[in-house]
């Protein structure tokens, strides 16, 4: 069975349970409005009822939305799922006003200590409530919140829809054929040097046709965020993002300071890779993903499962049990098929205490690594599924911790068994991934920062955005990239810039990759005693700040040394790779 089984959610759109739940959600939302209007002075009972109602609604909405999303992700031709989703979201947008009233009610609690001592249920939501109290200074009135939410449906969110629509349907000319952006970008992995270069040239030329629409979309979204930042009283979009990420600025600064120090080593790798491919002035952007070595070893799904089980078993019984459950109960949709979304993801489903993984497994080693990564997300899900619904979300920087950690367990085990070619391939994959999440992500971070700043007083046309992107790439890649072959349209191909709800969706990737590497180094030092601490930390990732999460595993994330140690692991890999690939046959 290579398709996932979603029947533990619903059997289909005509399943009576699905329809009943949908009706129930509509009733709950209507009811919520009335309830929110009755809220007056804070009492133990009023607080409890706010929490209970939100947990109950959250549970049902998430169950319905997950079912629709998962179905749509493996078969985009089924428009009915999309329509149902839009219908659901329209109802959900009606909760903004009562939600703001309930938040205001919780924010007016002045005796949280006392209340949480009196009542276990309130105690279990203490972090959640405290966060609302702390964030309340950025809240607008319930009426304003409701209005903004309604206007967003046909405002900022349609700019995002336009971006998604244009970039997913647009066809560009590649040697006389019309191909999608995804197809032409995938050619960057080709083993044929001419294909990689011509694909890059076709891609850059192709963006000309949609660049103005994309630039307007980006300007509108970033302009909207700047307006919201002002209205809510944040200092900047960065300030807002850090608050949403439960992270201190000093932590982010420490991470980037360590990254700054390690950039020369990444550039050394890029120049070396450039030389291996016959380039003299650093690596051209189009060869960033070029395979220097490709072992021809193939893996079946069964072999991938066995490799994952074997390596995870060396870590802990709980981790092994989780992946066995995922394999045996059809939690995974393995193979590419028509209408299926690209890439891979994992959806945690705390409503049924399970997860689902979508992948496009392609029989190679990197496909096995991806599966291990997604199963790491599933493991994280299993550690937080006993929380109340309101306590099940973790912030972006922490989201990639367990996944990267599992990826490391698998990769390290595979490295031990690999022959020279496989070792080179694995090392190159790991270093290339790291280059993306460290060096490229850093350039995206700098680019986004300059867009937010510039957008305050001007409209940025496509040429301006290209210039800002070149500038950002030169700052991070330095002489590692050939200056004549940068990629000025990275703002057009990365969807992350186009979310009004999530800004700076870049540094969390660096944070996740380096945080998990630091934890893996600790695991190697401390062995089994680390495992217990780590599990406990994962469970608490939904109810703590980034700094406190670090403390649970004895890590100070605001110190540059911690990040430097993680980066050292990558630097050592780069040295290994350069040495191994320079050896005479
Ligand atoms: Zn992930």
């Amino acid at each position: 069975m290579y398709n996932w089984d979603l029947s533990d959610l619903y059997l289909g759109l005509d399943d009576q349970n699905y329809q009943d739940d949908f009706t129930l959600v509509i009733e709950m939302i209507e009811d919520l409005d009335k309830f929110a209007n009755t809220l007056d002075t804070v009492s133990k009972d009023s607080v409890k009822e706010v929490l209970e109602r939100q947990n109950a609604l959250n549970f049902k909405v998430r169950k319905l939305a997950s079912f629709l999303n998962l179905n749509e992700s493996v078969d985009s031709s089924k428009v009915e799922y999309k329509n149902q989703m839009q219908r659901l979201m329209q109802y959900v947008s009606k909760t903004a006003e009562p939600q703001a009233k309930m938040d205001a009610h919780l924010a007016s609690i002045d005796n949280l200590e006392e209340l949480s001592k009196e009542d276990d249920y309130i105690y279990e939501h203490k972090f959640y409530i405290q966060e609302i109290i702390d964030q309340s200074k950025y809240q607008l009135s319930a009426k304003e919140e409701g209005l903004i939410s309604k206007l967003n449906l046909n405002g900022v969110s349609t700019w995002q829809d336009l971006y998604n629509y244009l970039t997913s349907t647009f066809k560009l000319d590649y040697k006389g054929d019309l191909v999608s952006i995804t197809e032409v970008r995938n050619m960057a992995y080709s083993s044929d040097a001419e294909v990689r270069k011509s694909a890059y040239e076709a891609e850059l030329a192709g963006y000309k046709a949609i660049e103005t629409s994309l630039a307007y979309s980006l300007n509108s979204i970033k302009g909207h965020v700047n307006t919201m930042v002002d209205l809510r009283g944040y200092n900047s979009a960065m300030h807002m993002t850090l608050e949403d990420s439960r992270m201190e600025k000093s932590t982010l600064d420490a991470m980037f300071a360590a990254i700054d120090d390690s950039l020369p080593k990444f550039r050394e790798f890029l120049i070396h890779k450039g030389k291996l491919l016959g380039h003299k002035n650093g690596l051209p952007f189009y060869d960033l993903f070029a395979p220097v070595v490709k072992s021809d070893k193939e893996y079946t799904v069964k072999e991938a499962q066995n490799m994952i089980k074997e390596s995870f078993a060396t870590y802990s019984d709980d981790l092994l049990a989780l992946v066995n459950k995922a394999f045996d109960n059809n939690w995974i949709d393995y193979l590419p098929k028509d209408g299926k979304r690209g890439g891979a993801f994992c959806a945690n489903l705390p409503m049924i205490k399970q997860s689902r993984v979508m992948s496009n497994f392609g029989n190679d080693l990197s496909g096995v690594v991806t599966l291990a990564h997604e199963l790491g997300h599933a493991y994280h899900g299993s550690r937080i599924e006993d929380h109340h619904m309101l306590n099940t979300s973790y912030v972006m920087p922490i989201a990639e911790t367990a996944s990267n950690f599992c990826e490391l367990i698998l990769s390290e085990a595979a490295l031990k068994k690999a022959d020279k070619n496989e070792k080179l391939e694995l090392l190159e994959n790991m270093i290339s991934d790291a280059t993306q999440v460290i060096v490229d992500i850093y350039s995206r971070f700098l680019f986004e920062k300059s867009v937010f700043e510039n957008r305050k007083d001007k409209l940025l046309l496509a040429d301006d955005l290209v210039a800002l992107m070149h500038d950002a790439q030169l700052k991070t890649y330095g002489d590692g990239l050939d200056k004549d072959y940068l990629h000025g349209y990275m703002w057009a191909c990365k969807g992350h810039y186009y979310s009004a709800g999530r800004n700076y969706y870049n540094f969390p990737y660096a944070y996740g990759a380096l945080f998990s590497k630091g934890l893996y180094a600790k695991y190697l030092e401390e062995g089994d005693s680390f495992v217990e601490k780590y599990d406990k930390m994962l469970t608490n990732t939904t109810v703590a700040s980034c700094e406190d999460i670090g403390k649970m595993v004895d890590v100070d994330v605001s110190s540059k040394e911690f990040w430097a140690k993680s980066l050292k692991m990558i630097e050592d890999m780069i040295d290994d790779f350069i040495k191994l690939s320079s050896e005479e046959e």
Side-chain angles (χ1 to χ4, degrees):
M1 278 297 284
Y2 294 136
N3 299 328
W4 60 26
D5 178 0
L6 301 180
S7 61
D8 283 343
L9 287 168
Y10 301 104
L11 299 173
L13 293 180
D14 45 14
D15 180 348
Q16 196 58 46
N17 287 326
Y18 171 83
Q19 291 169 0
D20 290 348
D21 277 355
F22 210 118
T23 313
L24 187 63
V25 161
I26 298 172
E27 284 167 12
M28 285 167 111
I29 289 173
E30 280 164 5
D31 220 31
L32 201 66
D33 208 29
K34 286 177 214 145
F35 165 73
N37 283 325
T38 65
L39 286 169
D40 193 9
T41 38
V42 168
S43 69
K44 191 172 82 184
D45 290 338
S46 73
V47 171
K48 272 177 85 171
E49 191 168 356
V50 165
L51 296 170
E52 276 161 3
R53 280 176 182 265
Q54 291 195 52
N55 273 318
L57 179 63
N58 215 308
F59 184 98
K60 289 285 178 201
V61 168
R62 211 164 145 192
K63 193 172 172 195
L64 291 167
S66 299
F67 178 71
L68 297 170
N69 251 332
L70 291 172
N71 270 297
E72 212 252 321
S73 65
V74 291
D75 189 357
S76 61
S77 69
K78 289 197 181 130
V79 279
E80 196 45 36
Y81 291 110
K82 221 177 276 178
N83 293 340
Q84 288 280 315
M85 189 67 179
Q86 277 188 3
R87 198 173 147 236
L88 181 64
M89 285 305 118
Q90 241 156 31
Y91 283 108
V92 171
S93 79
K94 290 183 189 171
T95 63
E97 203 175 320
Q99 181 71 46
K101 285 177 189 159
M102 290 188 292
D103 284 353
H105 189 73
L106 295 182
S108 68
I109 297 174
D110 55 10
N111 57 342
L112 184 57
E113 259 333 300
E114 246 170 79
L115 281 182
S116 46
K117 266 184 208 138
E118 275 174 41
D119 190 278
D120 285 347
Y121 192 69
I122 295 177
Y123 175 77
E124 286 153 12
H125 291 85
K126 200 174 158 198
F127 179 84
Y128 176 81
I129 297 172
Q130 188 59 53
E131 197 164 48
I132 288 180
I133 294 173
D134 295 342
Q135 300 270 324
S136 64
K137 56 178 177 287
Y138 305 117
Q139 280 281 315
L140 303 173
S141 72
K143 211 166 184 67
E144 288 167 320
E145 293 290 349
L147 183 65
I148 290 167
S149 164
K150 278 179 195 140
L151 288 173
N152 282 353
L153 282 177
N154 286 298
V156 71
S157 72
T158 53
W159 286 110
Q160 192 179 347
D161 290 345
L162 175 70
Y163 170 83
N164 289 336
Y165 179 79
L166 281 178
T167 51
S168 65
T169 56
F170 177 63
K171 301 272 182 194
L172 53 88
D173 178 53
Y174 178 70
K175 296 182 177 174
D177 286 331
L178 289 178
V179 298
S180 68
I181 296 176
T182 312
E183 282 171 292
V184 84
R185 282 192 63 77
N186 279 340
M187 293 179 198
Y189 299 88
S190 167
S191 52
D192 185 336
E194 195 281 323
V195 170
R196 296 193 300 268
K197 188 174 185 210
S198 56
Y200 160 85
E201 285 164 348
E203 186 197 351
L204 292 195
Y207 285 127
K208 285 274 168 214
I210 50 171
E211 63 175 10
T212 306
S213 310
L214 297 184
Y216 266 88
S217 169
L218 189 61
N219 275 274
S220 303
I221 291 168
K222 295 309 187 204
H224 170 91
V225 173
N226 276 339
T227 306
M228 293 309 299
V229 162
D230 282 347
L231 283 174
R232 295 192 182 285
Y234 292 101
N235 304 327
S236 62
M238 190 68 244
H239 176 215
M240 181 166 79
T241 305
L242 286 170
E243 289 279 329
D244 290 347
S245 305
R246 298 173 187 154
M247 191 196 278
E248 297 292 337
K249 175 135 193 318
S250 55
T251 297
L252 187 71
D253 290 345
M255 181 182 81
F256 275 129
I259 288 178
D260 266 324
D261 288 352
S262 77
L263 288 177
K265 191 48 106 179
F266 283 96
R267 292 170 187 163
E268 190 184 329
F269 163 74
L270 292 165
I271 292 170
H272 176 77
K273 179 167 174 174
K275 280 191 191 139
L276 291 176
L277 294 167
H279 303 294
K280 288 193 192 73
N281 304 318
L283 195 65
F285 201 101
Y286 60 78
D287 271 353
L288 268 177
F289 304 102
V292 172
V293 253
K294 181 92 187 147
S295 94
D296 40 21
K297 201 161 164 194
E298 293 203 339
Y299 298 83
T300 62
V301 168
K302 192 90 219 143
E303 284 166 332
Q305 290 176 338
N306 288 336
M307 252 176 101
I308 290 170
K309 283 199 256 189
E310 238 171 73
S311 61
F312 284 13
T314 64
Y315 182 77
S316 79
D317 293 343
D318 283 355
L319 183 59
L320 178 65
L322 184 274
V323 299
N324 274 325
K325 212 163 153 191
F327 294 147
D328 298 343
N329 297 307
N330 301 319
W331 286 11
I332 305 174
D333 206 86
Y334 291 94
L335 305 176
K337 53 194 166 197
D338 274 350
K340 181 167 167 175
R341 214 188 280 174
F345 71 83
C346 171
N348 291 152
L349 307 170
M351 309 76 71
I352 54 171
K353 298 192 194 295
Q354 298 178 21
S355 284
R356 288 295 178 275
V357 167
M358 192 206 83
S359 80
N360 280 282
F361 185 69
N363 298 92
D364 56 2
L365 189 53
S366 74
V368 187
V369 176
T370 303
L371 271 181
H373 175 104
E374 300 308 335
L375 286 164
H377 283 301
Y379 185 66
H380 196 173
S382 75
R383 300 299 314 175
I384 57 172
E385 67 193 17
D386 291 330
H387 282 299
H388 298 292
M389 285 304 289
L390 291 176
N391 290 334
T392 54
S393 46
Y394 34 81
V395 291
M396 295 190 301
I398 297 302
E400 295 298 332
T401 304
S403 54
N404 280 311
F405 194 90
C406 280
E407 201 179 314
L408 275 169
I409 297 175
L410 189 277
S411 302
E412 293 289 329
L415 267 178
K416 281 190 191 126
K417 285 194 196 161
D419 58 25
K420 186 182 165 185
N421 249 1
E422 270 187 301
K423 193 171 176 188
L424 272 170
E425 186 187 357
L426 258 171
L427 279 174
E428 201 213 334
N429 283 346
M430 290 164 85
I431 299 165
S432 288
D433 284 352
T435 307
Q436 281 299 298
V437 295
I438 308 297
V439 188
D440 198 71
I441 283 292
Y442 195 7
S443 75
R444 295 188 219 173
F445 174 80
L446 294 175
F447 169 81
E448 188 159 350
K449 202 164 166 228
S450 57
V451 171
F452 273 124
E453 275 157 19
N454 281 287
R455 181 66 189 110
K456 280 179 191 158
D457 46 30
K458 66 175 175 213
L459 180 72
L460 295 155
L461 297 173
D463 285 349
D464 301 322
L465 295 169
V466 168
L468 288 180
M469 186 57 85
H470 280 164
D471 195 40
Q473 286 172 353
L474 286 172
K475 276 188 186 131
T476 66
Y477 283 100
D479 57 0
L481 277 190
D482 184 334
K483 289 172 186 54
D484 293 329
Y485 293 98
L486 303 172
H487 194 313
Y489 283 96
M490 282 301 281
W491 56 273
C493 74
K494 291 290 170 195
H496 295 125
Y497 299 118
Y498 298 79
S499 161
R502 282 180 170 176
N503 301 290
Y504 290 104
Y505 201 173
N506 31 55
F507 75 83
Y509 283 97
Y511 191 99
L514 294 177
F515 185 55
S516 58
K517 281 204 171 57
L519 298 193
Y520 193 78
K522 274 190 103 60
Y523 161 60
L524 294 181
E525 279 167 25
E526 297 173 15
D528 286 347
S529 68
F530 175 83
V531 176
E532 204 179 311
K533 260 195 305 197
Y534 173 76
D535 277 349
K536 215 168 149 192
M537 178 211 75
L538 284 183
T539 302
N540 285 303
T541 45
T542 55
V543 287
S545 69
C546 289
E547 288 75 21
D548 286 344
I549 291 168
K551 282 181 200 146
M552 291 174 213
V553 277
D554 308 319
V555 160
D556 178 6
V557 292
S558 66
S559 82
K560 191 175 148 188
E561 288 68 37
F562 169 71
W563 302 103
K565 209 170 162 189
S566 300
L567 284 155
K568 178 79 170 50
M569 290 172 77
I570 306 168
E571 290 167 13
D572 289 347
M573 272 191 250
I574 292 177
D575 286 338
D576 279 354
F577 178 80
I578 292 179
K579 189 162 167 264
L580 205 59
S581 59
S582 306
E583 282 171 9
E584 295 293 328
E585 282 303 315

